Amino acid sequence: MLGGFAAWFLLGRETAPPCNGLAEDTRVQKSVGQDVHPSMSCAALGQAIVKATTGSEPGRHNQTQTQAMKDVLFALGSGQSKQLDLDPALRVPIATALADYAPDMHEMLAGLDSTYVTKAGRDTPPWEAGGTHHLAVPANSFRKTLRAVAEDPQAYALLRMAETRTAAGQLAAVTADATGSELSLPPTKNARALGIMDGVADAALSQDAQEARRWHAAVFDRLITEQADQAEPAGRLTATWLQELKNTPEQQRAERLHTQGVDMARTWAQARTMDEPTRQELLAKIENSARNAHKEGKH
């Protein structure tokens, strides 16, 4: 009788399908492709997802590719549980695919563009603008998936770098004569997006201090080896921040990461020779945006 109870208990705990059920999801099977089947390995499924969701030109996607990415994110993030335990073999592939949608990821992280809210529904198809199709899913399910992906430090570093390059591009695109919201919105959105990423990292970290240190070390080892094209303003902003991170003592890098939105905005403001009152007011607003977003990203 005890043996039967033990067997029932153990079997009862193994109710989750392999690969988080992605290979058995009919929408994923349809959009990712005919190679997807329940008996495949999670590594092979990850490769299939990357292949189905990314195109030959980075950051450019047709409707089929974007719909596949949306179906995968919905299959992962739409469950009732607040926490997603993602199969380790899927973390880097999901991050690789998501990084190719960096501008969409930026908007979903910041949460300030109403289009990404109104078009986030499961049955709302991707939309075309600016020569590519765009991706939107609900913020809560998106963040839940990010937190699960981020348990792999290589996956987190990949996403953090994608957001860093996008943030730099947003700053570089601000016109020289911009004032008011045209001047303040891009750096404030950057701080929100990066702040959410900070919260995601905190939520993904192990409670074990040694494991957490190893996670941070792996993230920073990846980030400080990244390169940026300094021939362009966005590349110079990215390169400057990467160098500042590299110059920061290892034990202080985790805290330095939390100031990325402010640090990048400060470098940008200096390059624009912004007057001191405007700069101080803007940096205070950016710092507040990052702090509030950091809290949001944990939950």
Side-chain angles (χ1 to χ4, degrees):
M1 181 173 168
L2 284 174
F5 176 79
W8 172 86
F9 179 74
L10 289 172
L11 288 171
R13 293 181 65 186
E14 296 186 8
T15 55
C19 309
N20 296 90
L22 287 180
E24 299 172 8
D25 186 285
T26 54
R27 286 201 185 214
V28 172
Q29 288 176 342
K30 181 179 178 181
S31 61
V32 173
Q34 60 184 6
D35 292 338
V36 176
H37 54 85
S39 61
M40 72 191 309
S41 71
C42 297
L45 176 59
Q47 291 176 353
I49 289 170
V50 173
K51 181 180 177 182
T53 58
T54 58
S56 57
E57 186 180 349
R60 297 284 179 178
H61 310 100
N62 59 34
Q63 185 167 2
T64 301
Q65 292 161 343
T66 312
Q67 185 64 54
M69 189 78 252
K70 183 164 186 165
D71 287 341
V72 168
L73 291 177
F74 258 100
L76 289 174
S78 59
Q80 294 298 314
S81 172
K82 288 187 176 181
Q83 186 171 346
L84 170 64
D85 185 16
L86 185 61
D87 189 285
L90 292 173
R91 291 170 186 159
V92 170
I94 297 293
T96 301
L98 263 179
D100 205 51
Y101 292 80
D104 294 329
M105 187 174 78
H106 175 77
E107 296 298 341
M108 287 190 286
L109 286 168
L112 299 179
D113 187 330
S114 61
T115 303
Y116 283 82
V117 177
T118 59
K119 294 185 179 293
R122 182 160 197 164
D123 296 319
T124 305
W127 72 102
E128 188 175 7
T132 188
H133 280 77
H134 294 278
L135 168 74
V137 295
N140 288 341
S141 62
F142 181 59
R143 293 176 190 177
K144 181 168 74 171
T145 301
L146 286 183
R147 289 191 289 270
V149 168
E151 291 187 33
D152 186 310
Q154 298 300 324
Y156 181 80
L158 202 162
L159 292 175
R160 186 82 189 206
M161 200 61 221
E163 175 53 33
T164 296
R165 295 185 193 278
T166 302
Q170 294 293 313
L171 293 177
V174 178
T175 59
D177 59 350
T179 58
S181 63
E182 290 184 354
L183 181 70
S184 64
L185 186 57
T188 304
K189 282 180 73 171
N190 286 351
R192 269 196 58 76
L194 291 164
I196 295 291
M197 289 295 289
D198 290 334
V200 164
D202 286 356
L205 279 174
S206 168
Q207 296 299 308
D208 180 79
Q210 191 171 357
E211 283 292 325
R213 281 195 296 271
R214 276 199 287 264
W215 186 93
H216 272 122
V219 168
F220 297 131
D221 284 348
R222 171 68 183 266
L223 289 178
I224 64 177
T225 59
E226 291 283 343
Q227 301 293 320
D229 180 7
Q230 297 190 49
E232 298 292 333
R236 288 195 291 275
L237 281 168
T238 301
T240 299
W241 179 75
L242 288 171
Q243 190 59 50
E244 288 173 353
L245 185 66
K246 190 174 184 178
N247 292 343
T248 302
E250 285 186 35
Q251 64 272 22
Q252 297 173 21
R253 283 177 180 165
E255 190 58 38
R256 188 63 186 264
L257 204 62
H258 293 169
T259 67
Q260 183 180 359
V262 177
D263 290 343
M264 292 182 72
R266 184 180 292 111
T267 300
W268 167 74
Q270 288 171 347
R272 292 175 67 90
T273 61
M274 192 179 293
D275 68 81
E276 189 62 18
T278 302
R279 188 173 76 93
Q280 291 296 343
E281 182 182 354
L282 182 57
L283 290 177
K285 185 184 293 186
I286 292 165
E287 188 172 2
N288 187 56
S289 177
R291 183 168 52 248
N292 291 336
H294 186 178
K295 295 174 186 176
E296 286 181 42
K298 296 180 184 180
H299 308 292

Tab-separated table of all heavy atoms in Angstrom, residues 91-140:
chain	number	residue	atom	x	y	z
A	91	ARG	N	16.206	27.481	-23.426
A	91	ARG	CA	16.450	28.856	-22.976
A	91	ARG	C	17.250	29.676	-23.987
A	91	ARG	O	16.841	30.782	-24.366
A	91	ARG	CB	17.136	28.848	-21.607
A	91	ARG	CG	16.227	28.347	-20.490
A	91	ARG	CD	16.979	28.124	-19.201
A	91	ARG	NE	16.101	27.503	-18.199
A	91	ARG	CZ	16.540	26.828	-17.151
A	91	ARG	NH1	17.845	26.669	-16.947
A	91	ARG	NH2	15.690	26.293	-16.292
A	92	VAL	N	18.385	29.180	-24.420
A	92	VAL	CA	19.200	29.934	-25.382
A	92	VAL	C	18.505	30.049	-26.743
A	92	VAL	O	18.509	31.133	-27.343
A	92	VAL	CB	20.615	29.330	-25.508
A	92	VAL	CG1	21.368	29.948	-26.676
A	92	VAL	CG2	21.404	29.562	-24.213
A	93	PRO	N	17.886	28.982	-27.273
A	93	PRO	CA	17.170	29.145	-28.546
A	93	PRO	C	16.044	30.181	-28.487
A	93	PRO	O	15.888	30.974	-29.413
A	93	PRO	CB	16.614	27.738	-28.820
A	93	PRO	CG	17.563	26.827	-28.128
A	93	PRO	CD	17.967	27.550	-26.885
A	94	ILE	N	15.260	30.186	-27.396
A	94	ILE	CA	14.190	31.176	-27.271
A	94	ILE	C	14.794	32.578	-27.217
A	94	ILE	O	14.288	33.516	-27.853
A	94	ILE	CB	13.325	30.912	-26.019
A	94	ILE	CG1	12.609	29.569	-26.107
A	94	ILE	CG2	12.319	32.052	-25.813
A	94	ILE	CD1	11.562	29.464	-27.180
A	95	ALA	N	15.888	32.733	-26.479
A	95	ALA	CA	16.561	34.035	-26.404
A	95	ALA	C	17.105	34.446	-27.767
A	95	ALA	O	17.015	35.620	-28.153
A	95	ALA	CB	17.692	33.984	-25.381
A	96	THR	N	17.667	33.514	-28.503
A	96	THR	CA	18.211	33.788	-29.831
A	96	THR	C	17.116	34.287	-30.767
A	96	THR	O	17.298	35.264	-31.503
A	96	THR	CB	18.861	32.519	-30.415
A	96	THR	OG1	19.909	32.084	-29.542
A	96	THR	CG2	19.434	32.779	-31.799
A	97	ALA	N	15.973	33.615	-30.715
A	97	ALA	CA	14.850	34.024	-31.558
A	97	ALA	C	14.327	35.392	-31.136
A	97	ALA	O	14.114	36.278	-31.969
A	97	ALA	CB	13.735	32.975	-31.479
A	98	LEU	N	14.150	35.585	-29.846
A	98	LEU	CA	13.625	36.862	-29.342
A	98	LEU	C	14.550	38.027	-29.668
A	98	LEU	O	14.086	39.134	-29.977
A	98	LEU	CB	13.437	36.782	-27.831
A	98	LEU	CG	12.045	36.453	-27.310
A	98	LEU	CD1	12.059	36.384	-25.801
A	98	LEU	CD2	11.017	37.466	-27.800
A	99	ALA	N	15.844	37.801	-29.570
A	99	ALA	CA	16.810	38.875	-29.836
A	99	ALA	C	16.685	39.398	-31.263
A	99	ALA	O	17.028	40.549	-31.535
A	99	ALA	CB	18.229	38.387	-29.573
A	100	ASP	N	16.191	38.580	-32.161
A	100	ASP	CA	16.005	39.009	-33.546
A	100	ASP	C	14.801	39.943	-33.681
A	100	ASP	O	14.624	40.574	-34.714
A	100	ASP	CB	15.840	37.784	-34.453
A	100	ASP	CG	16.254	38.066	-35.892
A	100	ASP	OD1	17.363	38.588	-36.088
A	100	ASP	OD2	15.459	37.781	-36.809
A	101	TYR	N	13.987	39.996	-32.624
A	101	TYR	CA	12.833	40.911	-32.569
A	101	TYR	C	13.110	42.033	-31.570
A	101	TYR	O	12.209	42.483	-30.852
A	101	TYR	CB	11.576	40.144	-32.147
A	101	TYR	CG	11.088	39.147	-33.170
A	101	TYR	CD1	11.683	37.888	-33.286
A	101	TYR	CD2	10.032	39.443	-34.025
A	101	TYR	CE1	11.249	36.961	-34.226
A	101	TYR	CE2	9.587	38.532	-34.968
A	101	TYR	CZ	10.195	37.287	-35.064
A	101	TYR	OH	9.758	36.375	-35.995
A	102	ALA	N	14.355	42.501	-31.517
A	102	ALA	CA	14.772	43.451	-30.487
A	102	ALA	C	13.912	44.716	-30.405
A	102	ALA	O	13.560	45.145	-29.306
A	102	ALA	CB	16.249	43.806	-30.673
A	103	PRO	N	13.549	45.361	-31.526
A	103	PRO	CA	12.687	46.548	-31.410
A	103	PRO	C	11.322	46.242	-30.783
A	103	PRO	O	10.809	47.042	-29.993
A	103	PRO	CB	12.537	47.023	-32.859
A	103	PRO	CG	13.755	46.504	-33.551
A	103	PRO	CD	13.996	45.159	-32.920
A	104	ASP	N	10.749	45.098	-31.125
A	104	ASP	CA	9.474	44.697	-30.519
A	104	ASP	C	9.665	44.367	-29.045
A	104	ASP	O	8.828	44.720	-28.204
A	104	ASP	CB	8.888	43.482	-31.246
A	104	ASP	CG	8.491	43.795	-32.684
A	104	ASP	OD1	8.107	44.944	-32.953
A	104	ASP	OD2	8.568	42.891	-33.535
A	105	MET	N	10.744	43.689	-28.729
A	105	MET	CA	11.048	43.374	-27.339
A	105	MET	C	11.176	44.666	-26.523
A	105	MET	O	10.680	44.763	-25.398
A	105	MET	CB	12.334	42.545	-27.260
A	105	MET	CG	12.638	42.022	-25.867
A	105	MET	SD	14.081	40.907	-25.830
A	105	MET	CE	15.415	42.115	-25.904
A	106	HIS	N	11.850	45.667	-27.111
A	106	HIS	CA	12.028	46.962	-26.451
A	106	HIS	C	10.673	47.587	-26.115
A	106	HIS	O	10.459	48.076	-24.995
A	106	HIS	CB	12.824	47.887	-27.378
A	106	HIS	CG	12.982	49.284	-26.885
A	106	HIS	ND1	13.872	49.622	-25.891
A	106	HIS	CD2	12.359	50.445	-27.239
A	106	HIS	CE1	13.793	50.928	-25.661
A	106	HIS	NE2	12.881	51.445	-26.467
A	107	GLU	N	9.747	47.558	-27.061
A	107	GLU	CA	8.435	48.157	-26.839
A	107	GLU	C	7.625	47.365	-25.819
A	107	GLU	O	6.910	47.960	-24.992
A	107	GLU	CB	7.663	48.268	-28.155
A	107	GLU	CG	8.283	49.197	-29.178
A	107	GLU	CD	8.365	50.647	-28.708
A	107	GLU	OE1	7.650	51.026	-27.759
A	107	GLU	OE2	9.152	51.418	-29.301
A	108	MET	N	7.720	46.048	-25.859
A	108	MET	CA	6.979	45.231	-24.892
A	108	MET	C	7.550	45.388	-23.486
A	108	MET	O	6.814	45.379	-22.503
A	108	MET	CB	6.968	43.767	-25.329
A	108	MET	CG	6.061	43.506	-26.520
A	108	MET	SD	5.821	41.743	-26.884
A	108	MET	CE	7.413	41.301	-27.613
A	109	LEU	N	8.861	45.553	-23.382
A	109	LEU	CA	9.477	45.791	-22.078
A	109	LEU	C	9.063	47.148	-21.521
A	109	LEU	O	8.671	47.260	-20.360
A	109	LEU	CB	11.008	45.732	-22.197
A	109	LEU	CG	11.641	44.355	-22.363
A	109	LEU	CD1	13.115	44.497	-22.752
A	109	LEU	CD2	11.518	43.537	-21.078
A	110	ALA	N	9.143	48.179	-22.345
A	110	ALA	CA	8.821	49.533	-21.888
A	110	ALA	C	7.333	49.686	-21.606
A	110	ALA	O	6.939	50.357	-20.649
A	110	ALA	CB	9.276	50.555	-22.922
A	111	GLY	N	6.503	49.078	-22.443
A	111	GLY	CA	5.062	49.104	-22.220
A	111	GLY	C	4.403	50.454	-22.391
A	111	GLY	O	3.371	50.728	-21.781
A	112	LEU	N	4.983	51.316	-23.214
A	112	LEU	CA	4.443	52.665	-23.382
A	112	LEU	C	3.805	52.916	-24.744
A	112	LEU	O	3.263	53.996	-24.976
A	112	LEU	CB	5.559	53.700	-23.146
A	112	LEU	CG	6.200	53.679	-21.746
A	112	LEU	CD1	7.296	54.728	-21.666
A	112	LEU	CD2	5.158	53.912	-20.668
A	113	ASP	N	3.859	51.942	-25.639
A	113	ASP	CA	3.270	52.084	-26.964
A	113	ASP	C	1.943	51.325	-26.982
A	113	ASP	O	1.915	50.095	-26.871
A	113	ASP	CB	4.231	51.534	-28.027
A	113	ASP	CG	3.756	51.804	-29.449
A	113	ASP	OD1	2.532	51.867	-29.672
A	113	ASP	OD2	4.617	51.939	-30.346
A	114	SER	N	0.837	52.043	-27.130
A	114	SER	CA	-0.488	51.427	-27.044
A	114	SER	C	-0.730	50.385	-28.132
A	114	SER	O	-1.524	49.455	-27.942
A	114	SER	CB	-1.578	52.508	-27.115
A	114	SER	OG	-1.504	53.208	-28.337
A	115	THR	N	-0.046	50.505	-29.266
A	115	THR	CA	-0.226	49.524	-30.341
A	115	THR	C	0.143	48.126	-29.867
A	115	THR	O	-0.517	47.137	-30.216
A	115	THR	CB	0.639	49.894	-31.565
A	115	THR	OG1	0.298	51.210	-31.993
A	115	THR	CG2	0.431	48.915	-32.708
A	116	TYR	N	1.182	48.044	-29.042
A	116	TYR	CA	1.638	46.747	-28.550
A	116	TYR	C	0.703	46.171	-27.486
A	116	TYR	O	0.796	44.985	-27.159
A	116	TYR	CB	3.064	46.864	-28.008
A	116	TYR	CG	4.096	46.919	-29.110
A	116	TYR	CD1	4.374	48.111	-29.775
A	116	TYR	CD2	4.766	45.773	-29.527
A	116	TYR	CE1	5.301	48.170	-30.807
A	116	TYR	CE2	5.693	45.815	-30.564
A	116	TYR	CZ	5.951	47.010	-31.199
A	116	TYR	OH	6.868	47.058	-32.232
A	117	VAL	N	-0.177	46.995	-26.962
A	117	VAL	CA	-1.194	46.523	-26.024
A	117	VAL	C	-2.424	46.052	-26.784
A	117	VAL	O	-2.943	44.954	-26.554
A	117	VAL	CB	-1.568	47.632	-25.018
A	117	VAL	CG1	-2.678	47.147	-24.083
A	117	VAL	CG2	-0.348	48.064	-24.217
A	118	THR	N	-2.878	46.855	-27.733
A	118	THR	CA	-4.102	46.517	-28.468
A	118	THR	C	-3.916	45.323	-29.405
A	118	THR	O	-4.884	44.649	-29.750
A	118	THR	CB	-4.599	47.723	-29.287
A	118	THR	OG1	-3.579	48.126	-30.210
A	118	THR	CG2	-4.932	48.890	-28.375
A	119	LYS	N	-2.681	45.054	-29.808
A	119	LYS	CA	-2.434	43.951	-30.743
A	119	LYS	C	-1.799	42.734	-30.069
A	119	LYS	O	-1.249	41.857	-30.723
A	119	LYS	CB	-1.537	44.431	-31.892
A	119	LYS	CG	-2.210	45.483	-32.772
A	119	LYS	CD	-1.362	45.854	-33.964
A	119	LYS	CE	-2.040	46.886	-34.848
A	119	LYS	NZ	-3.255	46.373	-35.518
A	120	ALA	N	-1.906	42.679	-28.731
A	120	ALA	CA	-1.252	41.599	-27.985
A	120	ALA	C	-2.090	40.333	-27.869
A	120	ALA	O	-1.581	39.300	-27.436
A	120	ALA	CB	-0.885	42.093	-26.580
A	121	GLY	N	-3.348	40.393	-28.243
A	121	GLY	CA	-4.226	39.235	-28.095
A	121	GLY	C	-3.768	38.031	-28.908
A	121	GLY	O	-3.132	38.168	-29.952
A	122	ARG	N	-4.122	36.864	-28.416
A	122	ARG	CA	-3.678	35.625	-29.067
A	122	ARG	C	-4.145	35.522	-30.510
A	122	ARG	O	-3.424	35.028	-31.377
A	122	ARG	CB	-4.174	34.413	-28.268
A	122	ARG	CG	-3.711	33.090	-28.874
A	122	ARG	CD	-3.756	31.975	-27.889
A	122	ARG	NE	-2.949	30.844	-28.357
A	122	ARG	CZ	-2.543	29.852	-27.581
A	122	ARG	NH1	-2.846	29.849	-26.315
A	122	ARG	NH2	-1.823	28.872	-28.075
A	123	ASP	N	-5.353	35.971	-30.780
A	123	ASP	CA	-5.918	35.834	-32.130
A	123	ASP	C	-5.722	37.079	-32.989
A	123	ASP	O	-6.251	37.153	-34.092
A	123	ASP	CB	-7.407	35.494	-32.034
A	123	ASP	CG	-7.635	34.137	-31.379
A	123	ASP	OD1	-6.862	33.204	-31.686
A	123	ASP	OD2	-8.562	34.022	-30.557
A	124	THR	N	-4.963	38.048	-32.482
A	124	THR	CA	-4.647	39.237	-33.271
A	124	THR	C	-3.353	38.986	-34.039
A	124	THR	O	-2.324	38.748	-33.422
A	124	THR	CB	-4.476	40.480	-32.374
A	124	THR	OG1	-5.650	40.639	-31.574
A	124	THR	CG2	-4.244	41.723	-33.210
A	125	PRO	N	-3.383	39.019	-35.351
A	125	PRO	CA	-2.185	38.668	-36.125
A	125	PRO	C	-1.101	39.744	-36.047
A	125	PRO	O	-1.377	40.899	-35.689
A	125	PRO	CB	-2.718	38.534	-37.552
A	125	PRO	CG	-3.907	39.442	-37.587
A	125	PRO	CD	-4.527	39.358	-36.221
A	126	PRO	N	0.130	39.395	-36.386
A	126	PRO	CA	1.201	40.392	-36.481
A	126	PRO	C	0.828	41.457	-37.503
A	126	PRO	O	0.040	41.207	-38.416
A	126	PRO	CB	2.407	39.572	-36.959
A	126	PRO	CG	2.095	38.158	-36.587
A	126	PRO	CD	0.609	38.036	-36.710
A	127	TRP	N	1.369	42.633	-37.336
A	127	TRP	CA	1.063	43.724	-38.266
A	127	TRP	C	2.342	44.218	-38.933
A	127	TRP	O	3.445	44.084	-38.386
A	127	TRP	CB	0.353	44.868	-37.550
A	127	TRP	CG	1.204	45.686	-36.624
A	127	TRP	CD1	1.746	46.911	-36.844
A	127	TRP	CD2	1.608	45.324	-35.284
A	127	TRP	NE1	2.462	47.346	-35.752
A	127	TRP	CE2	2.389	46.394	-34.776
A	127	TRP	CE3	1.384	44.205	-34.462
A	127	TRP	CZ2	2.940	46.381	-33.502
A	127	TRP	CZ3	1.950	44.184	-33.194
A	127	TRP	CH2	2.714	45.261	-32.733
A	128	GLU	N	2.183	44.780	-40.130
A	128	GLU	CA	3.341	45.227	-40.902
A	128	GLU	C	3.518	46.739	-40.761
A	128	GLU	O	2.568	47.510	-40.866
A	128	GLU	CB	3.174	44.866	-42.372
A	128	GLU	CG	4.428	45.142	-43.197
A	128	GLU	CD	4.315	44.667	-44.635
A	128	GLU	OE1	3.207	44.241	-45.035
A	128	GLU	OE2	5.322	44.729	-45.354
A	129	ALA	N	4.742	47.147	-40.509
A	129	ALA	CA	5.098	48.568	-40.444
A	129	ALA	C	6.609	48.681	-40.559
A	129	ALA	O	7.340	47.870	-39.990
A	129	ALA	CB	4.627	49.197	-39.134
A	130	GLY	N	7.055	49.653	-41.341
A	130	GLY	CA	8.495	49.862	-41.479
A	130	GLY	C	9.217	48.729	-42.177
A	130	GLY	O	10.396	48.473	-41.902
A	131	GLY	N	8.531	48.026	-43.057
A	131	GLY	CA	9.189	46.978	-43.840
A	131	GLY	C	9.339	45.647	-43.154
A	131	GLY	O	10.061	44.770	-43.639
A	132	THR	N	8.647	45.448	-42.011
A	132	THR	CA	8.715	44.160	-41.333
A	132	THR	C	7.430	43.937	-40.553
A	132	THR	O	6.650	44.869	-40.333
A	132	THR	CB	9.928	44.100	-40.371
A	132	THR	OG1	10.075	42.769	-39.864
A	132	THR	CG2	9.765	45.065	-39.206
A	133	HIS	N	7.188	42.693	-40.134
A	133	HIS	CA	6.030	42.392	-39.306
A	133	HIS	C	6.429	42.464	-37.831
A	133	HIS	O	7.557	42.130	-37.473
A	133	HIS	CB	5.457	41.018	-39.650
A	133	HIS	CG	4.606	41.033	-40.878
A	133	HIS	ND1	5.146	41.069	-42.155
A	133	HIS	CD2	3.247	41.053	-41.039
A	133	HIS	CE1	4.163	41.089	-43.045
A	133	HIS	NE2	3.005	41.087	-42.396
A	134	HIS	N	5.477	42.884	-37.014
A	134	HIS	CA	5.770	43.139	-35.606
A	134	HIS	C	5.045	42.171	-34.673
A	134	HIS	O	3.959	41.682	-34.968
A	134	HIS	CB	5.414	44.585	-35.255
A	134	HIS	CG	6.286	45.574	-35.953
A	134	HIS	ND1	7.539	45.920	-35.491
A	134	HIS	CD2	6.105	46.259	-37.108
A	134	HIS	CE1	8.085	46.799	-36.321
A	134	HIS	NE2	7.233	47.020	-37.316
A	135	LEU	N	5.667	41.965	-33.529
A	135	LEU	CA	5.254	40.975	-32.548
A	135	LEU	C	4.749	41.657	-31.286
A	135	LEU	O	5.376	42.588	-30.787
A	135	LEU	CB	6.474	40.109	-32.205
A	135	LEU	CG	6.395	39.178	-31.000
A	135	LEU	CD1	5.510	37.977	-31.338
A	135	LEU	CD2	7.801	38.695	-30.624
A	136	ALA	N	3.619	41.184	-30.750
A	136	ALA	CA	3.128	41.679	-29.467
A	136	ALA	C	2.420	40.557	-28.719
A	136	ALA	O	1.635	39.809	-29.299
A	136	ALA	CB	2.170	42.854	-29.666
A	137	VAL	N	2.735	40.431	-27.434
A	137	VAL	CA	2.044	39.509	-26.534
A	137	VAL	C	1.805	40.261	-25.220
A	137	VAL	O	2.459	41.269	-24.964
A	137	VAL	CB	2.858	38.215	-26.276
A	137	VAL	CG1	3.014	37.404	-27.548
A	137	VAL	CG2	4.222	38.525	-25.672
A	138	PRO	N	0.894	39.797	-24.371
A	138	PRO	CA	0.631	40.496	-23.111
A	138	PRO	C	1.883	40.612	-22.227
A	138	PRO	O	2.699	39.682	-22.168
A	138	PRO	CB	-0.436	39.625	-22.442
A	138	PRO	CG	-1.126	38.939	-23.583
A	138	PRO	CD	-0.041	38.672	-24.578
A	139	ALA	N	1.998	41.739	-21.545
A	139	ALA	CA	3.210	42.025	-20.765
A	139	ALA	C	3.487	40.979	-19.699
A	139	ALA	O	4.638	40.550	-19.522
A	139	ALA	CB	3.084	43.409	-20.118
A	140	ASN	N	2.464	40.527	-18.987
A	140	ASN	CA	2.684	39.579	-17.899
A	140	ASN	C	3.246	38.254	-18.394
A	140	ASN	O	4.184	37.696	-17.807
A	140	ASN	CB	1.386	39.342	-17.121
A	140	ASN	CG	1.004	40.535	-16.266
A	140	ASN	OD1	1.841	41.392	-15.974
A	140	ASN	ND2	-0.251	40.610	-15.869
